[in-house]
Amino acid sequence: MDRLRHAHSIEDLRELARRRLPRGVFDFFDGGAEDEVTLRANRGGFERLRLRPRTLVDVQQPDPSTSILGAPAALPIVIAPTGAIGAGWPQADLAIARVAARAGIPYTLSTTATSSIEDIAREAGGRLWFQLYVLRDKAFTSGLIRRAEGAGYEGLVVTLDLAAGGKRERDLRNRFTVPLRPHWRTLADFARHPGWCWRMLRHGQPVFANLAGFAGAVDPRASIAAKVGQSLDASFGWDDLRALRDAWRGKLLVKGVVRGDDASRLAAMGVDAIWVSNHGGRQLDGAIASIDALPDVASAVRGRVPVLLDSGVRRGVDVVKALALGAQAVAIGRATLYGAAAHGEAGADRAIQILGDELRRAMQLCGTPRIQDIDARLLQGSAHSQEKETDA
Ligand SMILES: Cc1cc2nc3c(=O)[nH]c(=O)nc-3n(C[C@H](O)[C@H](O)[C@H](O)COP(=O)(O)O)c2cc1C
């Protein structure tokens, strides 16, 4: 716990997780596809953006509360779906969901989560969205949607960037799979992490809680991305999405969009939000950084529907930059995951605390005490920053 209090950044939580997890597990959380070009570009994109803070603004009480998809949220932050994370800490999904409910922000449960749709609804509460991988097994996919509806989920997040599993070479080299299948080379690694071993032995192997009974033709030795990829409907297209739009009465979000032309067509089709993402650099290596894709998407959508963004958010100031470029909120995958993997619920809590504090501080230092004060004029090089400005 003391270590958690002394974690001052998401990078500190990452380092704690790195020390506490066997390498295979940490690499599964931390890694990206192939050469990890996109993984690095996601950070590079944020780091390249420069801010132009306002002065002489009363910023005594920064207020990061906002509205996400028409409902109040305490922060412009959403929890992104992350599958198989029970391999890091038992019931990590539930831990993060509880933290999100307490923090007043939406939580997205993955299709490949290690807690079930129903357990999360019963034990966490808060604003819940369910992330859907459209499986080739149509009956199973419809069953998942019905379960999310029955459990009262507000949103369905359809992930569109996993037509095939990304080639995550760290997982291949580490022979990482869920369920965990210890290989003689990984056993020594497990043994060096007795705390993690003890937790896994005590709570049992993590399982894909929403996929019980799923008879997808998967090779048990395949990496997780490959397993999911083998079961997905790679033919899923516009007509299928339209049918899904008609079938789901709640909010429909589409995740994994990085092009303005796609975004414009999706907005016209009646989705409720567009979620700019490259899956945290885990799918197409060489894909554009999410933050670099955002301006094109935001301008194509022209305010018709909210735009969310994930991939690479590690600092409160990243949230400011994404909002300045037109996002309504950001989503975070690894930030809370590093925390949960390091110390369960308390670790995820610490991650939100760090990001919330950094965001409030960044809002003060930018002279934008309310979320609606954040706009493109904050950014160096934006069209607005070159105009002659009058008083805000
Ligand atoms: C361990 C892990 C598992 C993930 N599993 C899923 C998933 O099941 N479904 C999905 O749509 N995205 C998944 N993602 C992608 C996240 O939803 C999100 O797009 C990404 O983590 C954002 O980048 P960030 O980690 O830099 O915040 C996963 C990401 C990680 C790190």
Side-chain angles (χ1 to χ4, degrees):
M1 282 310 231
D2 207 41
R3 291 235 173 94
L4 265 190
R5 261 207 318 278
H6 290 101
H8 299 295
S9 64
I10 299 302
E11 180 57 31
D12 288 350
L13 290 176
R14 173 178 180 269
E15 183 53 26
L16 263 186
R18 193 184 64 73
R19 279 191 259 138
R20 291 190 172 180
L21 297 175
R23 181 173 175 165
V25 180
F26 177 76
D27 276 350
F28 167 65
F29 294 165
D30 192 61
E34 298 179 6
D35 297 314
E36 302 189 337
V37 170
T38 296
L39 180 71
R40 287 189 298 277
N42 284 332
R43 285 303 307 146
F46 277 112
E47 285 169 5
R48 266 195 314 278
L49 289 171
R50 293 286 182 276
L51 293 161
R52 304 185 317 136
R54 285 181 187 283
T55 47
L56 299 171
V57 180
D58 177 352
V59 292
Q60 289 180 89
Q61 304 214 318
D63 177 8
S65 67
T66 188
S67 162
I68 302 179
L69 273 64
L75 297 166
I77 297 179
V78 170
I79 303 293
T82 50
I85 62 172
W89 189 277
Q91 301 211 291
D93 310 87
L94 184 56
I96 297 176
R98 283 189 172 134
V99 166
R102 269 204 307 277
I105 60 174
Y107 170 83
T108 314
L109 182 73
S110 162
T111 293
T112 54
T114 43
S115 292
S116 74
I117 294 171
E118 294 78 11
D119 285 353
I120 292 287
R122 197 174 44 246
E123 294 181 37
R127 287 180 73 184
L128 296 176
W129 300 346
F130 178 65
Q131 176 266 326
L132 182 73
Y133 281 134
V134 179
L135 305 167
R136 275 206 302 271
D137 183 335
K138 289 199 168 34
F140 198 90
T141 306
S142 306
L144 287 172
I145 297 171
R146 274 197 307 276
R147 283 172 62 188
E149 193 174 26
Y153 280 58
E154 170 194 345
L156 186 70
V157 178
V158 187
T159 297
L160 300 178
D161 59 10
L162 209 136
K167 186 170 176 238
R168 308 201 192 132
E169 295 178 5
R170 296 201 214 181
D171 297 347
L172 296 170
R173 289 193 195 98
N174 294 329
R175 295 177 162 81
F176 182 74
T177 61
V178 169
L180 301 161
R181 287 164 54 96
H183 181 264
W184 63 267
R185 278 164 58 179
T186 55
L187 282 174
D189 186 22
F190 286 5
R192 277 195 296 275
H193 298 87
W196 176 88
C197 285
W198 166 242
R199 281 190 291 278
M200 287 300 133
L201 288 170
R202 214 165 127 226
H203 294 270
Q205 277 266 20
V207 294
F208 295 121
N210 296 315
L211 299 181
F214 176 64
V218 291
D219 171 359
R221 283 156 310 181
S223 72
I224 292 174
K227 264 187 199 159
V228 175
Q230 284 165 19
S231 314
L232 281 190
D233 179 2
S235 73
F236 190 77
W238 289 95
D239 290 342
D240 305 297
L241 185 68
R242 202 165 289 112
L244 203 60
R245 170 66 292 185
D246 295 340
W248 172 261
R249 272 174 260 134
K251 303 226 159 81
L252 182 71
L253 298 86
V254 282
K255 174 172 181 282
V257 177
V258 292
R259 295 173 58 117
D261 52 2
D262 278 349
S264 182
R265 198 168 161 191
L266 286 161
M269 180 195 274
V271 302
D272 295 295
I274 288 166
W275 186 322
V276 177
S277 171
N278 55 37
H279 218 105
R282 297 162 74 81
Q283 282 297 104
L284 175 66
D285 197 32
I288 184 171
S290 283
I291 192 72
D292 293 337
L294 180 59
D296 179 29
V297 171
S299 80
V301 165
R302 284 182 282 111
R304 282 175 288 172
V305 293
V307 176
L308 310 183
L309 166 134
D310 76 24
S311 298
V313 174
R314 299 289 182 276
R315 290 281 186 190
V317 76
D318 298 337
V319 184
V320 172
K321 290 172 178 176
L323 267 50
L325 284 175
Q328 184 174 75
V330 302
I332 50 173
R334 294 184 185 85
T336 31
L337 175 53
Y338 291 138
H343 217 295
E345 198 168 322
D349 220 23
R350 184 78 186 124
I352 294 292
Q353 210 179 43
I354 289 171
L355 286 176
D357 285 350
E358 286 180 354
L359 173 59
R360 276 184 285 273
R361 186 190 310 265
M363 290 170 72
Q364 288 180 299
L365 293 175
C366 283
T368 51
R370 296 162 310 163
I371 291 295
Q372 61 267 34
D373 300 326
I374 300 173
D375 63 26
R377 287 171 295 183
L378 263 186
L379 292 168
Q380 177 189 9
S382 70
H384 291 286
S385 74
Q386 282 144 20
E387 283 167 15
K388 206 158 184 269
E389 287 171 38
T390 51
D391 236 2

